[in-house]
Amino acid sequence: MASILPFIQKVGAVFDDRATQIMGEAFDGACKELHDTGQPPIVYEVIAKRIIDAARAGERDLARLRNAGLTALGFDDDDREAG
């Protein structure tokens, strides 16, 4: 499974350890929603960018961060699993 860390480093963002952990969990959750079946790298980059942008805006809720990443791919609330 991909990691959000390279994407955070690529954009030059700096987050504390807790925020980075939450973002990583949100990214992992978003990837799981896609069933992580060999998606092209751009898909992971789009998800990561949306999660990073939301975190930069102050979001720290795991589900909201995950959903921010998935929304970029056209998922809506009815498409997502709880939690």
Side-chain angles (χ1 to χ4, degrees):
M1 182 173 293
S3 168
I4 198 167
L5 292 177
F7 299 106
I8 292 172
Q9 293 168 345
K10 182 177 180 181
V11 299
V14 177
F15 296 95
D16 64 36
D17 290 342
R18 181 68 183 137
T20 302
Q21 178 184 356
I22 293 168
M23 292 165 58
E25 290 174 14
F27 183 77
D28 290 346
C31 292
K32 183 178 177 185
E33 291 279 335
L34 298 176
H35 306 291
D36 201 27
T37 55
Q39 299 295 327
I42 189 69
V43 171
Y44 299 114
E45 187 171 347
V46 168
I47 292 170
K49 182 180 182 324
R50 291 294 180 101
I51 290 171
I52 292 165
D53 288 347
R56 279 181 167 168
E59 185 60 66
R60 294 297 184 267
D61 180 79
L62 176 62
R64 288 185 186 139
L65 287 170
R66 182 198 66 217
N67 293 347
L70 290 171
T71 299
L73 302 177
F75 284 72
D76 62 25
D77 288 335
D78 294 334
D79 296 328
R80 295 185 198 120
E81 297 173 1

